[in-house]
Structures are given as C-alpha cells and as structure tokens.
Amino acid sequence: MTASHNGKLFIETVGCQMNMLDSELVVGALRKQGYNLTDDIREADTVLFNTCSVREHAEHKIYSALGRLKFSKQARPNQVIGVLGCMAQKDQELVFQRAPHVDLVVGTGQLAEVPRLIDAARESRERSLAVSLDRKEGGRAAVSDSFQSYDPLREPEMRPTPHQAFVRIVIGCDKFCTYCVVPMTRGPEQSRPPRDIRHEVQVLADQGVKEVTLLGQTVNSYKHTQDGRLFRLSDLLEHIHDVDGILRLKFVTNFPKDMTDDLLQAVRDLPKCAQYLHVPLQSGCNEMLKRMKRGYTVEDYREMMSRIRTTLPNAAISSDFIVGFCGETEESHQKSLDLIRECRFKNSFIFKYSPRPGTKAFELHADDVPEEIKKHRNNEMLALQNQISAEDNAQFIGRDVEVLVEGPSRNELKRGDPTTTGPVQLTGRTTCDRIVVFDGNPRLAGSLAQIQIDDCTPTTLLGQIVTREVQHGSSSLLPILV
Ligand code: 5AD
Ligand code: SF4
C-alpha cells in the first residue's frame, strides 16, 4: 500500500488518443492517492511526460522540456521527474543518459506501476526503469505478457470532457509498416475480452458518458475468443450497442485490409455507430505502399472505398498520408494527390516522413527526399485537402444536422468568463465527425441538438440551434435553447 500524498502533479501528454487515455488513467490513479493537478510546472513536485515516438520532432520536444528542468531540479531536489510511454519503451536507458535528472522511465506496458515507482523514487532517490521486453527478446507469449494493458476503472472528473470517453480494445500492433515504431513501443497486438470492454462501457455510461470511442492502432483487427465464440469488431459493436445512456459509438484507427463487410454492415445496422471511418491510405503510389509494407495496393483501397460507399453512402472517410517517404518521386506524390481527389476524404492528417531508428525503412532505405521538398509536398497536399474539405462542408449550408454537444468552444474557454450565465459558443460533432460551432446554453453539453448550418470553414460548420414548433409543424430558429 502506497502512502497518501498531497503533492502537486504536472503532466504533459503528446501523441495520439491512446496516449491521452493512458494519461487519464495514470492521473486517475495518482489523484486517488491525493495528488492534485497543476498547470504550472514550476510548482509541481512530480512532473510526468507521456511521450510519443512516431516522429522525431515529438521526441525532440520532450528532450528539450527535460533539459529545461535540469536547473529547477537542482532548486527542488525532492522533485520527481518521470518519462512515460512510447519514448520510454523505445529509448530506455538512453533517457537517463540524455537527461540524468530523470527519476523514472516507464514504458507503455508498465503504467500501472507509476504510483509505486514515484513513491520509491522519492524515498530512495534511486532511478527506476520499467519497460517491456523488446520484440526479439522472447517468444510471442513472453513479449505479449510484458505489455500489460492498463485499464483500471476511472474517476469521471479525469476525462477530457465529461460526456466523451476512450475505451481501449486492442493494444499493440503486428502490421510492422516499415516506417513505424508502434509495433516496438506498444508491443504485440492483443485484443481485450468483450466482457471487460462491455463492463467498462457500462460503468462509463453510469457516470454520464454519452459517446465512447473504441481505440486500437488497428482497431478493426480486433479479435477475441470468449466462451468458445469469436468476436470480431462487428460482434463487439453489437455486444456493447445496447448499453443504456450511450448515444454514440466510434472506433479508430482502421487498417484498410481489415475493413470487412461484416464491419460495414454493423455500422449500417447499429444506429449508435458514427458514420465516420478513419482509414489511413498513407500513399497513392503502389511502389511506395509496397516499400511501406502496407499489405494493399491502390486498387485494393479503391475496392474498399467502393464497398464503403455502397454500404454506407453517407459515411465520411478520413485518411493519413506520409509525404517524402524514401524514394518518393514527384510522380508518386502526384499519385497521392490524385487519390485524394478521387476519394474526397473528409480530412487527412498529413505527415512528413521522419526516419525512426529500429524500423525497417531506417535500416534499408535512405531518407532521400530533401526537407524542402517534403515541406512543399506537405503544403501542396494540405491545400488540396483543405479545398476538398471546404467544398464538402459547403454542401451543408442551409441543411439541418444533428450534433452531440461537447461543450464550450475553444474560443469560449479562452475568453473564460466564469460569470457568464447566457448563451456561449458551443461545439459539437455530427455523426460524420464534422465539427459544428453554434451558440447555446452550456447545459446542452452531452445532449443531441439540431443545428441549421449557415456558414462554414474548411474545418468547421457554423450554425444555429433549431427548435421545432410542433403545433405549426414548422421549424423556427431560436438563438438560445434554455
Ligand atoms: N514518419 C512520418 N509519419 C509517420 N506516421 C507513422 N510513422 C511515421 C513516420 N516515421 C504517421 C502515419 C500514421 C500516423 C499516426 O502517423 O501516417 O498513420
Ligand atoms: Fe504503425 Fe502500421 Fe501498425 Fe499503424 S498499422 S501502428 S502505421 S505499424
């Protein structure tokens, strides 16, 4: 049993939704022990960084932040500094070498140990390293066992918004795309039991959660046999769909090859499923896809898109792209742009290739596209995608959409006037994951609202709440709904 602590905790999280979830869980555990969160790193006696290794830039940021802490640590010898997550698993001892004032390095598979290790560091002033086995350090079972999924039950106030929660269903990844560190930093692919997932969704619903996003690096590769029955993602969606209180179910990120018909049909037939699929293409050039070892061709992706469009004609599809991968020519780049024009993604996340030690691409291929060209291709792709997103959004002008209200918009939070009682600027999302901004009462957070769209930007729809006047059978616009 660890001692109760009432110190101040600062945590910085970079990277993907999986990291956001991990931070929420770690903070939840530490809060139970009496820690209080602070936004001010200078007053914290425990400083944690939950890190990302997908691109070098994300690692640089953390090492710079650690460098800045060197002097504050000299002034506060009792301070405990921890590096958690992907960079901890990947760099291990190297973190101590580059930043000797770090006390703990804890990988993605050991996060349950964080409270104990912080106490130990404070008591003994000894450093600790808690990481999982490298993928070649043992048999599959041993390596898998060393990556423990960390999913304790949580406190509602620890979530980013009270009505939305992430639920992990798959940890790790076995795809080994040649540019990617994730199979190393998050270990072998393992699916959690449907029973545990349903229980977690139920608890979250009882706590007021309305929208659950199921997480996995390749979420649609989910497979678990329970009581002799195989559950695929489609079966799991059905299994949790009737949990009372949940209004919307989403899942990210999908792997194109695993986008099977049963899953598309489940999304079509289960009304709570969001009509939104994030299915990264990465490149529109077959040579690049082969070199990335993605396991599909442009033709396969096209075939998948046509199946999605047939079964889910109103679904929005989003993608990820890497520009400037090893050997990418202008012609390959143009093929990616062509695919964006053809598929008309709702949005795309675009990344400049960042060579990662330990990956196959790093070992086998030169990072031969100059930074300037990567930047240029990145901007060109972004401009094209923005144009498509803007055209796409413009189609909604004059139409009504249903949104799940998330809460005050970022602008509103920046303004931050706690005395406001009237309408504020709110944000919500449509079932297709389109962001909608409108004025309304903050109490609407967590409910579904009808919004009439009257304007848009490439990323946002702007509108007003609609209320139906039943006696006249017509709609009228009201600026505020109380
Ligand atoms: N360089 C650039 N982008 C990368 N991604 C993954 N690895 C790299 C890398 N080495 C991108 C992929 C993935 C997203 C999460 O990050 O597009 O889908
Ligand atoms: Fe990385 Fe590929 Fe796995 Fe995605 S599917 S996490 S890109 S290895």
Side-chain angles (χ1 to χ4, degrees):
M1 188 71 193
T2 35
S4 171
H5 190 283
N6 51 18
K8 294 227 163 103
L9 165 70
F10 174 92
I11 184 162
E12 182 172 333
T13 306
V14 288
C16 63
Q17 287 141 321
M18 204 59 108
N19 275 11
M20 284 167 66
L21 172 58
D22 283 338
S23 288
E24 181 192 328
L25 300 175
V26 166
V27 170
L30 291 171
R31 281 278 294 255
K32 281 208 186 82
Q33 302 206 343
Y35 285 82
N36 288 309
L37 273 181
T38 174
D39 291 339
D40 185 355
I41 196 165
R42 286 166 306 184
E43 65 167 26
D45 49 6
T46 303
V47 176
L48 300 177
F49 294 97
N50 192 5
T51 60
C52 171
S53 288
V54 166
R55 284 167 291 276
E56 195 182 9
H57 177 68
E59 294 190 342
H60 270 317
K61 264 177 61 180
I62 298 297
Y63 278 116
S64 309
L66 288 171
R68 287 193 294 276
L69 278 181
K70 195 163 160 189
F71 298 105
S72 86
K73 177 88 181 247
Q74 282 163 2
R76 310 182 58 141
N78 212 25
Q79 193 173 51
V80 171
I81 302 175
V83 173
L84 319 180
C86 287
M87 198 179 89
Q89 178 62 37
K90 174 175 153 285
D91 284 359
Q92 307 194 357
E93 287 286 347
L94 186 66
V95 178
F96 295 131
Q97 286 163 27
R98 290 183 65 174
H101 50 295
V102 167
D103 300 282
L104 32 135
V105 171
V106 186
T108 55
Q110 272 68 33
L111 294 176
E113 302 294 315
V114 169
R116 187 180 65 73
L117 294 174
I118 294 175
D119 283 350
R122 197 159 270 121
E123 275 158 32
S124 70
R125 302 310 316 171
E126 274 175 21
R127 286 174 181 165
S128 49
L129 173 71
V131 288
S132 305
L133 296 177
D134 286 348
R135 294 220 41 166
K136 290 187 186 123
E137 250 178 344
R140 185 176 171 91
V143 178
S144 294
D145 281 353
S146 78
F147 281 90
Q148 292 290 322
S149 186
Y150 176 52
D151 303 282
L153 292 178
R154 354 176 178 161
E155 296 174 10
E157 72 260 37
M158 300 316 305
R159 286 191 290 278
T161 77
H163 306 289
Q164 297 172 293
F166 298 124
V167 170
R168 193 181 339 255
I169 68 164
V170 185
I171 66 166
C173 181
D174 283 345
K175 305 292 185 201
F176 286 98
C177 304
T178 56
Y179 51 80
C180 187
V181 286
V182 169
M184 276 70 81
T185 60
R186 291 212 171 253
E189 181 187 302
Q190 302 182 68
S191 296
R192 294 179 65 211
R195 191 178 287 119
D196 294 3
I197 295 166
R198 187 181 155 100
H199 179 62
E200 196 172 335
V201 172
Q202 181 74 64
V203 170
L204 290 167
D206 293 345
Q207 293 172 348
V209 167
K210 307 289 182 202
E211 178 186 282
V212 162
T213 303
L214 305 176
L215 293 185
Q217 309 296 341
T218 57
V219 72
N220 57 339
S221 314
Y222 180 87
K223 257 191 204 81
H224 193 99
T225 301
Q226 178 176 288
D227 305 330
R229 175 183 166 200
L230 173 71
F231 283 76
R232 301 160 297 177
L233 179 56
S234 54
D235 306 304
L236 181 71
L237 287 168
E238 203 184 326
H239 188 59
I240 61 178
H241 190 262
D242 66 346
V243 172
D244 273 346
I246 299 297
L247 301 177
R248 223 176 246 176
L249 288 171
K250 294 185 183 175
F251 50 90
V252 287
T253 286
N254 292 286
F255 192 69
K257 262 305 237 324
D258 294 331
M259 197 48 94
T260 48
D261 284 336
D262 59 292
L263 179 56
L264 300 180
Q265 284 153 13
V267 173
R268 180 192 62 196
D269 299 339
L270 298 169
K272 292 181 186 174
C273 286
Q275 297 287 309
Y276 165 65
L277 300 170
H278 180 229
V279 203
L281 169 58
Q282 310 294 2
S283 169
C285 167
N286 278 336
E287 285 95 276
M288 289 298 106
L289 289 173
K290 195 163 177 206
R291 186 169 273 200
M292 290 175 170
K293 209 169 143 279
R294 286 288 288 177
Y296 55 82
T297 60
V298 169
E299 292 70 30
D300 294 333
Y301 194 89
R302 221 175 244 143
E303 186 270 337
M304 175 204 78
M305 282 298 280
S306 116
R307 280 189 297 113
I308 295 177
R309 299 278 188 230
T310 308
T311 311
L312 303 168
N314 297 319
I317 322 290
S318 64
S319 181
D320 292 353
F321 283 91
I322 296 179
V323 295
F325 187 55
C326 319
E328 188 190 65
T329 60
E330 181 56 29
E331 202 189 340
S332 333
H333 170 61
Q334 289 301 328
K335 287 182 182 165
S336 292
L337 298 183
D338 286 344
L339 258 287
I340 291 184
R341 285 188 198 99
E342 182 182 328
C343 297
R344 292 189 68 80
F345 297 110
K346 175 183 77 90
N347 65 299
S348 292
F349 301 93
I350 302 164
F351 306 100
K352 289 180 287 171
Y353 172 59
S354 169
R356 310 286 40 231
T359 61
K360 272 274 172 294
F362 184 86
E363 265 171 46
L364 299 178
H365 309 292
D367 173 26
D368 56 0
V369 177
E371 181 59 26
E372 274 312 299
I373 296 188
K374 282 183 189 171
K375 227 183 252 167
H376 182 263
R377 290 181 186 167
N378 185 83
N379 292 343
E380 195 180 6
M381 191 177 272
L382 207 57
L384 172 63
Q385 179 60 61
N386 276 345
Q387 183 199 328
I388 290 171
S389 302
E391 286 166 11
D392 211 38
N393 274 350
Q395 296 175 17
F396 286 87
I397 294 176
R399 277 164 59 185
D400 286 4
V401 297
E402 186 182 67
V403 303
L404 181 59
V405 184
E406 293 180 1
S409 69
R410 237 186 271 167
N411 281 344
E412 195 61 56
L413 291 172
K414 258 191 247 154
R415 265 200 292 277
D417 178 4
T419 59
T420 306
T421 50
V424 299
Q425 195 180 63
L426 300 174
T427 59
R429 272 174 206 258
T430 67
T431 182
C432 298
D433 200 52
R434 291 187 169 89
I435 301 167
V436 184
V437 172
F438 52 96
D439 285 348
N441 191 306
R443 274 183 297 161
L444 287 172
S447 65
L448 293 169
Q450 288 292 119
I451 310 292
Q452 188 184 88
I453 303 304
D454 45 35
D455 202 357
C456 72
T457 71
T459 52
T460 312
L461 300 175
L462 311 164
Q464 302 180 57
I465 288 177
V466 180
T467 54
R468 307 255 171 222
E469 286 177 22
V470 179
Q471 62 272 42
H472 303 300
S474 64
S475 310
S476 71
L477 291 178
L478 284 187
I480 327 164
L481 190 82
V482 278

